[in-house]
Amino acid sequence: MNVQLHEGQEIPVTIKRIGINGEGIGYFKRKAVFIPGTLPGEEVVARVEKDHPNYVEARVRRIRKQSKDRIDPPCPVYAKCGGCQLQHLRYERQLEYKREMILQALDRYMKKTIDSRIVEPTIGMDHPWEYRNKSQLQAGKQKGKVMAGLYREGTHQLIDVTDCKVQHPKTNEITRKVLRIIEDLNIPVYDERKRKGVIRRIVTRIGFQTGDIQLVLVTAGKHFPKKELFLKEMKRRIPEVTSVLQNINPKKTSLIFGDETHLLMGNEYIEEQLGGIRYDLSARAFFQLNPEQTYKLYNLVKSFSDLNGDETVVDAYCGVGTIGLWLAEDVQELRGIEMIEDAVRDARRNAKKLGVQNAVYVSGKAEDWLGTWFKEGFRPDVVIVDPPRAGLDDRLVETLKRIQPKKLIYVSCNPSTLAKNLDALSSKFEIKRIQPVDMFPHTSHVESITLLE
């Protein structure tokens, strides 16, 4: 029978491993205890926050025995923000942990035993800071001052993260200057609880290689008071911003963007360059947040594809065409599929700008298009999938098993859904290699590329 604990109770715990959200996991009287900010090997006294039937959520009160891998987080709001989970763990050990997370997921969700040697050491960064090209912050007001940040976990307390250590410094600088303009012009920021105000979120994106800067103001409605004055001040104070857009999101939702976007000033798109390829990015277009690691990731996809120029390739979650266009010159035919129509338009324009004539982009679900094409006699040699955290749709898994491309390359941002999908695919495909890539240093996120044949 499980032991009963009460909120506020202090318990001794020895941390055994790190969980999927970066928290330390130990046991108290055989019951799993999840404690953020702790590391394997540490002996801690923890305060019970919530007692669930099969596990306990707790907070560390004091560390009796400290791990040799523990370091002091350089970020002053690390403990409050929640955006990073692993700044207290030395970077070399973070890379090992991310490989271990994939192995744990495979062990948990796959019926077949997987040889651990197929999971390569994680590819990290030489300078694992200032790597994010996009900042998406909630606007708010505290003590009469306009600010932007992230909500502290489980609260409506906004934590100022406009000096974030993992953001490109320019995105931090632009956000701070935009806040001052909003404050000086007295433009109302949105209050989530009262559901009043105008400016909900401030989204800043920079092209690392081009220097282009895009600002998207997400507003609660179409009305944008003092818009002309705001744009005048933008030109005067932040002339380096090349694209200013308004996105309208009136819904009570955690989704950042609404469906409607309007250009206010400058260009509708910004450009980014990876290798020799330039991409146009609209406000809502998905693009990897870490350009340096993206370059490595796409080259790995190319290496795994092992192309000779005769292949037909499907990029099944193509976004703005990034991965597919990386391979286009080495394939006979490229087909891209994407749900977001804006991204499909971006992909077509990117292909045209690059002079790529062997690529076709369509809007819709991958499982629908692949099934239709298969009925028409099209069987791709290589299929690349880069799904969101929820992984592949069950219908897409069954479609892939039916059409059986020679190679399936799975780019994953979630080890758990990856392992579940690999378990389902393993009846028709053999897993050859899994390569973790650290796209988000100091967080618990794990990106990987799997080659199936």
Side-chain angles (χ1 to χ4, degrees), residues 375-437:
K375 286 176 187 172
E376 293 170 355
F378 174 76
R379 182 177 175 181
D381 298 301
V382 180
V383 173
I384 299 159
V385 293
D386 185 4
R389 288 189 63 78
L392 302 179
D393 183 275
D394 290 343
R395 282 181 58 222
L396 179 53
V397 169
E398 292 308 309
T399 302
L400 290 167
K401 285 161 70 174
R402 190 169 77 253
I403 69 174
Q404 290 183 40
K406 292 171 189 171
K407 285 192 173 83
L408 174 61
I409 297 170
Y410 190 141
V411 181
S412 164
C413 60
N414 184 338
S416 297
T417 53
L418 170 68
K420 290 172 186 175
N421 289 157
L422 292 182
D423 181 58
L425 289 163
S426 62
S427 62
K428 298 291 183 182
F429 293 90
E430 182 184 356
I431 303 164
K432 305 296 282 188
R433 283 179 69 187
I434 301 177
Q435 176 62 70
V437 180

Side-chain angles (χ1 to χ4, degrees), residues 234-276:
M234 282 290 300
K235 285 180 184 175
R236 187 173 73 84
R237 299 192 207 183
I238 331 175
E240 63 267 41
V241 174
T242 53
S243 171
V244 181
L245 302 109
Q246 177 188 4
N247 176 269
I248 299 158
N249 186 357
K251 296 176 183 174
K252 188 177 182 180
T253 174
S254 60
L255 294 175
I256 290 168
F257 291 117
D259 296 329
E260 195 177 333
T261 306
H262 300 288
L263 178 66
L264 301 183
M265 189 176 81
N267 304 319
E268 193 171 347
Y269 309 92
I270 62 167
E271 276 192 336
E272 179 59 298
Q273 182 172 326
L274 287 178

Side-chain angles (χ1 to χ4, degrees), residues 135-139 148-150 161-162 172 175 200-204:
S135 160
Q136 303 179 134
L137 300 181
Q138 185 76 33
L150 301 173
V161 291
T162 55
N172 289 328
T175 303
R200 292 186 75 165
R201 297 180 183 95
I202 298 170
V203 181
T204 310

Side-chain angles (χ1 to χ4, degrees), residues 203-234:
V203 181
T204 310
R205 174 152 62 180
I206 184 166
F208 269 45
Q209 295 300 316
T210 63
D212 285 359
I213 298 169
Q214 187 177 65
L215 170 70
V216 185
L217 293 173
V218 182
T219 59
K222 290 185 180 181
H223 180 55
F224 186 159
K226 302 180 184 175
K227 180 169 67 178
E228 297 308 318
L229 267 176
F230 175 84
L231 295 174
K232 185 179 175 183
E233 287 302 302
M234 282 290 300

